[in-house]
Amino acid sequence: MPATNEQKLKYIAKLVAECKNCNLYKNALNHVPGFGNPNAEIVFIGEAPGATEDKLGLPFVGNSGKLLDKLLNSINVPRSDVFICNILKHRPPENRDPLPAEIIYCTPFLKAQLLVIKPKIIITLGRFAMNYFFPDDRISSVHGQIKKIIWKEIPLTIIPVYHPSAGLRNGAMLKSLQQDFLNIGKFLGKI
Ligand code: URA
């Protein structure tokens, strides 16, 4: 019997748990490979685990996660329908930005996850996830755009939005994020 997506994602998570390619595992309490529906049509990609995610081993469970939950509620998309993960799978110290080498070492796990799930739609949260697909774009110019690409032979719709943590810091960015989510909800036919 061929392995299920759930089994394949578990195997990737085990490789993440064992990964020592960069130094981040040394200070991390947990690895945070990602969580959600193994057969999701929609995948959300953030930047890296924060303190709460590091403690619990789950993505987007701190303050940014609470905002993400509200945004998902606003467009009638249950969290259990989607898969949520990050560019980095271990927490950077003091939540500093991911380093280029860390991104190079860690994103093969993301790539493997996406090749298993084969989502139709990816919502990138913040500039690091957007830059994974569009290295030359700026989040301030492209947030909210519905971009269609072929990635590793998979047709994907990618919608970059601001990171929820930016929305928590800045009222204008929160408005943008809420508006972009409403447009995503309409695009999905959910609202
Ligand atoms: N910020 C992220 O980018 N990812 C998380 O999982 C939590 C906060």
Side-chain angles (χ1 to χ4, degrees):
M1 272 243 288
T4 62
N5 280 10
E6 190 177 359
Q7 289 165 331
K8 291 178 193 172
L9 291 174
K10 266 201 186 140
Y11 181 67
I12 296 167
K14 182 175 167 291
L15 297 179
V16 171
E18 292 165 356
C19 180
K20 295 187 175 163
N21 287 337
C22 77
N23 285 325
L24 291 179
Y25 76 93
K26 289 185 183 164
N27 293 313
L29 299 172
N30 276 298
H31 64 301
V32 186
F35 188 78
N37 182 343
N39 302 299
E41 290 200 350
I42 308 173
V43 169
F44 286 80
I45 306 174
E47 179 178 316
T52 315
E53 290 76 18
D54 182 45
K55 236 177 249 160
L56 300 178
L58 292 167
F60 281 95
V61 286
N63 288 335
S64 291
K66 285 186 190 132
L67 176 54
L68 180 60
D69 285 341
K70 280 189 195 154
L71 292 163
L72 286 171
N73 274 340
S74 76
I75 59 169
N76 300 318
V77 171
R79 191 169 168 137
S80 54
D81 276 8
V82 306
F83 189 83
I84 303 178
C85 59
N86 284 300
I87 291 286
L88 296 189
K89 312 298 195 195
H90 284 108
R91 182 191 182 203
E94 313 298 326
N95 299 344
R96 65 153 168 74
D97 283 352
L99 300 176
E102 291 164 354
I103 295 174
I104 288 169
Y105 281 129
C106 211
T107 46
F109 297 121
L110 172 66
K111 178 177 159 196
Q113 289 171 318
L114 295 177
L115 290 175
V116 168
I117 300 171
K118 294 190 184 63
K120 290 196 168 66
I121 297 166
I122 293 179
I123 318 281
T124 57
L125 304 165
R127 70 189 162 102
F128 287 96
M130 178 208 62
N131 282 152
Y132 178 65
F133 298 100
F134 309 107
D136 300 323
D137 280 354
R138 293 186 71 85
I139 186 84
S140 51
S141 313
V142 302
H143 73 86
Q145 288 181 9
I146 295 171
K147 293 166 163 282
K148 295 199 184 263
I149 64 168
I150 305 286
W151 179 82
K152 319 284 174 209
E153 298 178 9
I154 306 173
L156 280 179
T157 297
I158 304 191
I159 311 177
V161 300
Y162 284 122
H163 194 285
S165 69
L168 291 173
R169 284 193 304 267
N170 177 309
M173 287 195 181
L174 178 60
K175 277 222 165 104
S176 264
L177 199 46
Q178 288 166 330
Q179 188 57 52
D180 288 346
F181 262 77
L182 290 182
N183 291 338
I184 290 169
K186 283 181 199 151
F187 173 73
L188 297 173
K190 298 281 185 185
I191 53 173

